[in-house]
Each structure stands twice: as C-alpha cells, then as structure tokens.
C-alpha cells in the first residue's frame, strides 16, 4: 500500500490527508472512481460472458454467468459463431483497409505536414489555412455529394458533360483510403511535431546532397516515430470502428469489413443473440491486442495528439 | 553572371516543384473528399435531382419542401434535445474524473487502463453492444438486472420519452475516456508548486480547485463546449444503429433524416437542402469556435 506522504501536492496535499476530513474526502473520490471503473467494466464483461451462453439461456437465465461452461463446449461454440458470421474473410478485409489507411495517412499526411512545417514556399500558407478549416468544416453536408462522386469518380457525371475517364469506385476500398488520406487532423499533427525538429538537421542533410523526399522519409519520419505510431493506431482504429462508409460503398459481401458486416447482420433473423454477441466479442480482439502492444503510445499519445491550429 | 542567375532560378523552380509534389496528394485528397463535396452540396441543393444526377435549377423548391415537411420541426427539436442532454449527462463527468484520477495514488495505473476501456472497443461494436444491452426482451443486460431485482422487462429504446437520454448515455460511455485523458494530461501539467503555495496561504481543497485548477483548464473547457455542440448536432450513426430513428421518429436527428432522404426515400435534393441548412448553422458555430480558439490561445 502506498502511503499518503508520497502524494504530490494537488487539490489535496499530504498535510490534508492526515486529518480525518481529508482522508474521508480522499476515499470518497477513490470510491467514485471505483464506481466509474465498474460502469466501464460491466458492459464489457457482460458481452464476454454472454458470448458463452446458449441461445436459450440468453432469454431465460437471469444470471450473468453461463451455466454448464466447459472449455470444449465453448470452443465449438466459438468456432460455430465464427463460421456462421463468416468472420475470417471480413477480418482479413479489415486488416487490408487498416493497412491502407495507415500507409496513406503516413505518406500523404506526413508529406503534407513536412512541407507545411519545413518547406514554406509560395502557396503553402493558403494550404495551411484551408487545412485548418477542413478540420472544422461540418461533415454533415458531405455524405451525399461524396457518395455521388464515388459513382463516377473522379469527376461527377452531369447531363451536359460525360467524362469518359469516370469510373465507379463503389465496391472498392478507394473511398475508405481517400477518406483516411484527407484527414487534416493528421496533417496538422505531423506539422506540429515536425516544427519541433531542429532545422539544422535538415540543412546538414541538404548540404550532403539529400533530396527533399529522401530527407522526409530517411530523416524526418524516424525522428517523429511516436507520431507515426500514433497515426498508425488511429488509422487502424478507424478501419475497425467505422461501419458507415463501408456499409454505403460496399455491396459485395466478400469485401465487407468487420464493423459493416456486424451492422448488416443485426437484423438477420438466422443469427441468434448469443452468436451475434460472440461476433461482437471477436471484433474487439484485434483492437484489444493492438492496445496491449502500443499502450505506451496510446495513453502517452494523447499528449502528442494535442493539436494547436 | 547571367548564367548564375538562371541557374539560381532553375534551382528555385526545382525546389518549388519538389515541394508541391510532396504537398499535392494531400491537397487533391482534401479537395476530392472535403472541399468539392461541401461546395457541391450547397450548389446542387438548388437543383432538381434525378436519382443522383442534378438536372435543372429549381430555386428554393427543395428547401421549401424540407421545411414544409411535418417532421421537420420535431426532428430539429430532437437534435437540440440531443445536444442539451449531452451537456447535462456528458459534459462534467470527464472533468471530475480527470481531477479525481489526478488525486488518487492507490491503483492509479490500473484505473487508468480500466477507465480507458470503452475507448479500446471499436465504435461500431460499442453501439451494437449497447443496442443489445438495451434490448427490450429478457436477453438484454439491463432487463436481466431488472429480473434479478424481480421486476418486469422494460422497453428501454422503445420508450419515446426517454430514448434520447438512453442514446446519450451510450454516447457518453463511449466518448468520455478520450475527453477525460485530454483533461488529465492538462491537469498533470499544472505545477504542484502552485497548489503548495496556495495551500500555505490557507486555501482548502474546494478553493484550490476553483482558484488554481480551473483557471488552467478553463480554456480547454470552453473550446470543448463548442466542439461538443458541433459534434452532437451532427449525430447520425447512433439513431441509425440503435433505434432506426424510432419509436415514431422520436430519436431521429437531422443527420439521420439526411441519410433517410438520400438512401431510403430517394429524395436526394431535399437531403442536400437539409444538409446545407445544417451546414450554415454549424458554420456559424465553427466561426465562433475559431474566434474563441484565438482568444484562448492569447490568454492561456
């Protein structure tokens, strides 16, 4: 048990905590936090426990815990749910989307952030202002026109002009990747962090004859590695969290990502509640593993992520 | 001499080219995904739409149809209620939790991870999980809890009077860890010396909170008020996943109505008109946000 004397001065300091009143105040706060933890754990735990219930138990049992839990029974149930929801395919798809998201975020947003921070030439100031506005522009107006442009990309068909170059990019991952590349938040994030890199490093490389692009990926990107990881995590999570864009743009069930598949199976009467909730549990596993690996970057990354316009 | 000049000019152009090659992909993507759709949305809201193709200019016809729709006012009112309840339920808890977490010394790192838990789960899964938790039959978690207390199952999301509050509870659960950690890092940046000095002057915990902590974080809080307002006003996925706008449109938001106009009812022109109306309202809030942001940066 840690002792109160180790406590840094805050709203309560160690002198306060010697009195009964201070102690009570401290433990009340502690109790509230425990309650907060319980509210975050209980739904998650309910999901995991319900995943192992039988369909009948879901509706009749008032206990949180599955009856007759056996390892072999659970394994068959998991395998059955996995096959019934055809999860293997959608997991791979989500991985592909996530990898693409991460790649375009780092390359495209990284390059733009690099230029806006270190290579100010004519016109970059305007791009910077537009990027800031992009970050705050209400997205509500975009959904429909975006969808219209996916049907005939990159130009939009009008009655008068029929561009021969137009292609339909529905049923591909291009809309998702383009969305990840147009993330102005990431551009500003990269820019802010490149700002902290000393220009002397870049000048030295330039004197040695390094090209601009080489400076970017050989010198600048490794320096801001925590940001690269943070952006990767964001890109990965967005692929795992967003059902809406894939649901709109992808109709081929073989190409669906996990969240879109889960959303579409919601109203499928062939899938019982316990199988469905097992699917929900499966969809949490990759992000959970990711969190465990990169925990340091994620919780520390919020400091990295503080964006100043 | 002349040779040198042209040489320098050539180098400058080469440099300019290299810079713009790096910048261009991002500019093109932002143009295609943000700037053009926004402009298209406004322009085409004045056009008759045939499917997804604009045909003839029709003035304000789309707007008049949107506003004359009997659902228009109730839906706007719903959206305002979302914003209102998101402040009542969701605004202060992240702040207080961040402060309490900063004061605690026992089990602090475990608590940090546990409180972050909702943010680890993917967004869609959280929505669908809460849809199951609120399930009106006996399989839902809340109805299981009621059954343990010996009570009858309750309709939760089928209750038109409280459905918005239930959705806001879900949104708060899913969203508070991110905001909480934003506050937490700011609070951790406050120097302990400030607290010590004030405590020596005889300030108690509540006075310390009001006079030492709050001024340090009030800028961020102000910005978050506007940001939350803009964010919640655009709510669409929550009603879409959890209620389908029901019961009886009691939880339909402006965002979800735009989705329905477009992809369910096939009235694209009206969707664009409603989108433009919302856009204009939110742009005012956004301009205000930038003004505030500047002020906050100057003062804090």
């Amino acid at each position: 048990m840690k002792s109160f004397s180790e406590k840094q001065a805050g709203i309560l300091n160690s002198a306060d905590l010697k009195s009964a009143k201070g102690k009570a105040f401290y433990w009340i706060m502690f109790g509230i936090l425990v309650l907060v933890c319980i509210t975050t754990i209980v739904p998650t735990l309910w999901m995991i426990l319900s995943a192992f219930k039988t369909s009948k138990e879901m509706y009749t049992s008032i206990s949180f815990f599955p009856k007759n839990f056996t390892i072999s029974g659970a394994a068959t149930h998991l395998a059955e749910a996995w096959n019934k929801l055809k999860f293997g395919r959608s997991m791979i798809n989500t991985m592909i989307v996530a990898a693409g998201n991460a790649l375009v975020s780092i390359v495209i947003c990284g390059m733009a952030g690099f230029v806006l921070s270190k290579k100010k030439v004519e016109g970059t100031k305007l791009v910077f202002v537009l990027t800031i506005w992009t970050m705050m522009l209400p997205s509500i107006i975009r959904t429909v026109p975006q969808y219209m442009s996916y049907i005939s990309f990159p130009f939009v068909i009008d009655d008068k002009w029929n561009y021969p170059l137009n292609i339909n990019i529905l049923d591909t991952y291009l809309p998702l990747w383009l969305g990840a590349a147009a993330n102005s938040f990431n551009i500003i994030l990269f820019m802010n962090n490149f700002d902290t890199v000393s220009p002397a490093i870049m000048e030295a490389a330039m004197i040695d004859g390094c090209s601009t692009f080489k400076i970017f990926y050989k010198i600048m990107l490794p320096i801001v590695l925590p940001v690269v990881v943070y952006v990767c995590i964001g890109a990965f999570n967005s692929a795992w969290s967003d059902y809406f864009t894939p649901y709109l743009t992808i109709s081929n069930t073989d190409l669906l990502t996990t969240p879109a598949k889960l959303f579409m199976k919601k109203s499928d009467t062939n899938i019982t509640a316990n199988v469905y909730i097992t699917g929900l549990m499966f969809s949490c596993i990759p992000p959970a593993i990711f969190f465990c690996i990169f925990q340091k970057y994620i919780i520390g990354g919020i400091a990295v992520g503080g964006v100043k316009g | 001499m002349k040779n040198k000049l042209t040489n320098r000019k050539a180098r400058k152009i080469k440099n300019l080219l290299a810079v713009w090659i790096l910048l261009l992909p991002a500019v093109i993507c932002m143009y295609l995904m943000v700037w053009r759709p926004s402009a298209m949305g406004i322009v085409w809201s004045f056009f008759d739409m045939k499917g997804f193709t604009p045909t003839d200019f029709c003035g304000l016809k789309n707007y008049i149809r949107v506003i004359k729709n009997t659902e228009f006012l109730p839906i706007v009112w719903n959206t305002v209620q979302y914003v209102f309840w998101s402040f009542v339920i969701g605004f202060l808890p992240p702040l207080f939790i961040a402060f309490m977490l900063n004061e605690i010394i026992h089990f602090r790192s475990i608590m940090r991870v546990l409180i972050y838990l909702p943010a680890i789960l993917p967004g869609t899964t959280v929505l669908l999980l809460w849809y199951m938790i609120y399930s009106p039959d006996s399989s839902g978690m809340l109805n299981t809890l009621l059954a343990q207390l010996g009570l009858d199952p309750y309709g939760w999301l089928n209750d038109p009077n409280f459905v918005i509050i239930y959705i806001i509870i879900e949104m708060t659960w899913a969203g508070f860890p991110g905001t909480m950690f934003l506050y937490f890092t700011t609070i951790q940046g406050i120097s302990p010396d400030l607290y010590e000095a004030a405590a020596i002057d005889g300030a108690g915990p509540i006075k310390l909170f009001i006079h030492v902590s709050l001024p340090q974080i009030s800028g961020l809080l102000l910005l978050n008020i506007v940001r939350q307002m803009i964010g919640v006003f655009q709510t669409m996925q929550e009603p879409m996943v959890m209620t389908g706008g029901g019961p009886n449109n009691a939880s339909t938001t402006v965002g979800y109505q735009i989705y329905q106009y477009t992809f369910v009812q096939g009235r694209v022109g009206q969707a664009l008109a409603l989108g433009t109306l919302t856009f204009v309202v939110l742009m005012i809030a956004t301009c205000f946000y930038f003004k505030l942001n500047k002020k906050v940066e100057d003062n804090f």
Side-chain angles (χ1 to χ4, degrees):
Chain A
M1 213 60 174
K2 280 181 181 161
S3 94
F4 284 138
S5 55
E6 288 169 37
K7 189 182 172 334
Q8 265 199 331
I11 294 167
L12 289 171
N13 49 40
S14 40
D16 281 333
L17 287 167
K18 284 189 186 113
S19 70
K21 213 171 125 193
K23 266 186 189 151
F25 196 61
Y26 178 88
W27 288 113
I28 288 171
M29 290 203 293
F30 187 81
I32 294 171
L33 280 182
V34 170
L35 279 180
V36 173
C37 288
I38 290 173
T39 52
T40 62
I41 295 168
V42 167
T44 319
L45 211 59
W46 177 76
M47 171 178 72
I48 295 169
L49 291 172
S50 299
F52 295 103
K53 284 182 180 172
T54 62
S55 176
K56 211 176 132 210
E57 256 181 285
M58 277 299 282
Y59 289 96
T60 53
S61 159
I62 60 164
S63 163
F64 263 44
F65 294 92
K67 268 180 276 184
N68 313 322
F69 179 82
T70 57
I71 303 246
S72 62
T76 30
H77 170 67
L78 288 184
E80 190 203 319
W82 180 277
N83 291 329
K84 216 169 183 178
L85 290 161
K86 295 204 186 75
F87 246 58
R89 187 66 219 234
S90 71
M91 286 279 184
I92 293 170
N93 290 338
T94 321
M95 285 289 183
I96 295 170
V97 172
N101 277 357
L103 188 73
V104 297
S105 304
I106 292 164
V107 174
I108 294 182
C109 301
M111 289 192 312
F114 169 62
V115 168
L116 292 182
S117 162
K118 288 280 180 270
K119 287 269 172 188
K120 295 185 182 110
V121 295
E122 289 90 338
T124 49
K125 177 99 187 142
L126 177 72
V127 175
F128 170 71
V129 173
L130 284 173
T131 311
I132 294 278
W133 273 98
T134 307
M135 205 156 67
M136 285 303 294
L137 222 51
S139 61
I140 196 161
I141 197 176
R142 298 204 283 267
T143 322
V144 182
Q146 269 176 356
Y147 184 80
M148 289 159 78
S149 71
Y150 298 152
I151 299 173
S152 46
F153 193 82
F155 309 104
V156 181
I157 285 192
D158 215 343
D159 269 1
K160 288 132 207 156
W161 318 293
N162 234 321
Y163 292 101
L165 283 171
N166 278 341
I167 45 163
N168 185 333
I169 59 165
L170 293 181
D171 267 339
T172 68
Y173 295 139
L174 269 177
L176 301 173
W177 289 333
L178 279 171
N183 190 335
S184 46
F185 175 85
N186 282 344
I187 297 177
I188 302 295
L189 185 63
F190 270 114
M191 189 195 83
N192 282 341
N193 283 280
F194 283 134
D195 275 346
T196 60
V197 179
S198 153
I201 296 173
M202 215 179 78
E203 273 157 26
M206 251 156 86
I207 289 164
D208 287 347
C210 220
S211 72
T212 313
F213 187 68
K214 231 175 178 175
I215 293 176
F216 167 67
Y217 79 91
K218 277 242 161 104
I219 298 169
M220 297 305 260
L221 272 189
I223 293 179
V224 294
L225 191 67
V227 186
V228 173
V229 175
Y230 185 76
V231 168
C232 268
I233 294 164
F236 182 88
N237 278 346
S238 72
W240 235 271
S241 295
D242 177 30
Y243 77 94
F244 187 71
T245 321
Y247 170 71
L248 277 193
T249 57
I250 294 168
S251 50
N252 183 349
T253 43
D254 281 342
L255 291 174
L256 278 179
T257 61
T258 306
K261 173 160 256 171
L262 281 173
F263 176 69
M264 285 171 95
K265 293 278 179 193
K266 191 186 85 163
S267 43
D268 190 333
T269 43
N270 288 326
I271 288 167
T272 52
N274 64 327
V275 170
Y276 191 68
I277 216 159
T278 314
L280 290 184
M281 190 187 72
F282 283 143
S283 75
C284 295
I285 294 171
I289 294 171
F290 219 66
F291 177 81
C292 293
I293 299 172
F294 294 110
Q295 193 199 351
K296 189 182 84 189
Y297 287 101
I298 294 170
I299 294 202
I302 291 155
V304 176
V307 164
K308 261 174 86 180
Chain B
M1 186 68 196
K2 204 179 171 206
N3 205 356
K4 214 173 172 186
L5 245 171
T6 42
N7 219 345
R8 209 203 257 150
K9 220 173 186 177
R11 237 190 8 240
K12 204 181 159 196
I13 289 174
K14 210 177 144 199
N15 183 36
L16 206 69
L17 214 66
V19 166
W20 274 97
I21 285 171
L22 293 182
L23 194 55
L24 219 51
V27 173
I28 290 174
C29 286
M30 282 196 288
Y31 169 73
L32 285 177
M33 298 301 286
V34 182
W35 302 334
R36 191 181 64 177
S38 303
M40 273 180 1
I42 295 170
V43 172
W44 285 349
S45 66
F46 297 103
F47 279 74
D48 260 331
M49 301 294 279
K50 200 173 136 213
F52 284 106
T53 317
T55 51
D56 293 306
F57 182 78
C58 68
L60 291 171
K61 200 176 100 195
N62 286 328
Y63 288 88
I64 291 166
R65 275 180 150 181
V66 164
I67 293 170
K68 275 202 172 153
N69 191 330
T70 47
E71 294 296 333
F72 177 68
L73 281 178
I75 285 168
V76 172
W77 177 235
N78 280 347
T79 314
V80 172
Q81 275 185 299
Y82 271 89
V83 176
F84 173 76
W85 286 111
S86 83
F87 278 105
V88 171
I89 297 172
F91 190 71
L92 288 179
L95 178 69
F96 285 126
I97 293 167
F99 269 108
M100 289 191 282
L101 198 60
N102 192 40
E103 295 299 319
I104 294 301
I105 50 173
H106 298 102
F107 303 110
R108 185 155 143 180
S109 47
I110 299 175
M111 277 192 182
R112 245 167 47 160
V113 174
L114 289 181
I115 289 175
Y116 199 67
L117 192 63
I120 302 169
L121 310 182
T124 304
T125 307
V126 171
L127 276 173
L128 289 164
L129 174 63
W130 276 83
Y131 167 74
M132 304 282 286
I133 286 172
Y134 282 135
S135 174
D137 53 42
S138 53
S139 69
M141 181 184 99
L142 290 169
N143 278 341
T144 313
L145 283 175
L146 286 182
Q148 283 178 355
L149 297 171
L151 298 167
D152 284 338
Y154 167 59
W156 298 110
L157 295 172
N158 291 337
D159 187 337
N161 297 321
F162 296 109
V163 59
I164 290 175
I165 296 178
Y166 298 143
I167 293 179
I168 288 295
I169 290 175
E170 183 279 331
M171 286 166 79
T172 307
W173 192 84
F176 88 88
T179 325
M180 201 282 288
F181 272 93
L182 198 66
Y183 295 149
F184 185 64
T185 39
T186 313
I187 292 166
Q188 281 197 312
I190 302 174
S191 155
D193 300 344
L194 277 177
Y195 288 112
E196 266 166 19
I200 288 165
D201 290 343
I206 293 165
K207 271 202 168 146
L208 283 176
F209 176 70
I210 293 171
H211 295 294
V212 182
S213 315
L214 269 189
Q216 303 274 342
I217 205 171
S218 55
L220 192 59
L221 277 179
L222 268 177
L223 292 180
N224 258 7
I225 290 177
V226 187
R227 219 181 296 171
Q228 183 172 337
M229 213 169 71
I230 296 172
V232 177
F233 205 87
Q234 303 186 64
T235 305
M236 171 186 62
Q237 303 195 349
E238 283 79 5
M240 184 173 167
V241 172
M242 292 173 78
T243 61
N248 236 335
N249 276 348
S251 63
T252 306
T253 57
V254 172
Y256 186 57
Q257 180 72 5
I258 290 173
Y259 171 82
Q260 287 216 308
Y261 270 149
T262 318
F263 297 102
V264 182
Q265 304 171 357
R267 303 188 207 162
V268 180
Q270 291 173 55
L272 291 170
L274 184 55
T276 307
L277 283 178
T278 325
F279 181 78
V280 170
V281 172
L282 291 178
M283 266 325 266
I284 296 169
T286 306
C287 293
F288 179 69
Y289 175 84
F290 276 121
K291 264 217 162 113
L292 200 67
N293 193 14
K294 211 162 178 214
K295 227 176 181 172
V296 166
E297 266 178 18
D298 292 345
N299 289 350
F300 298 101

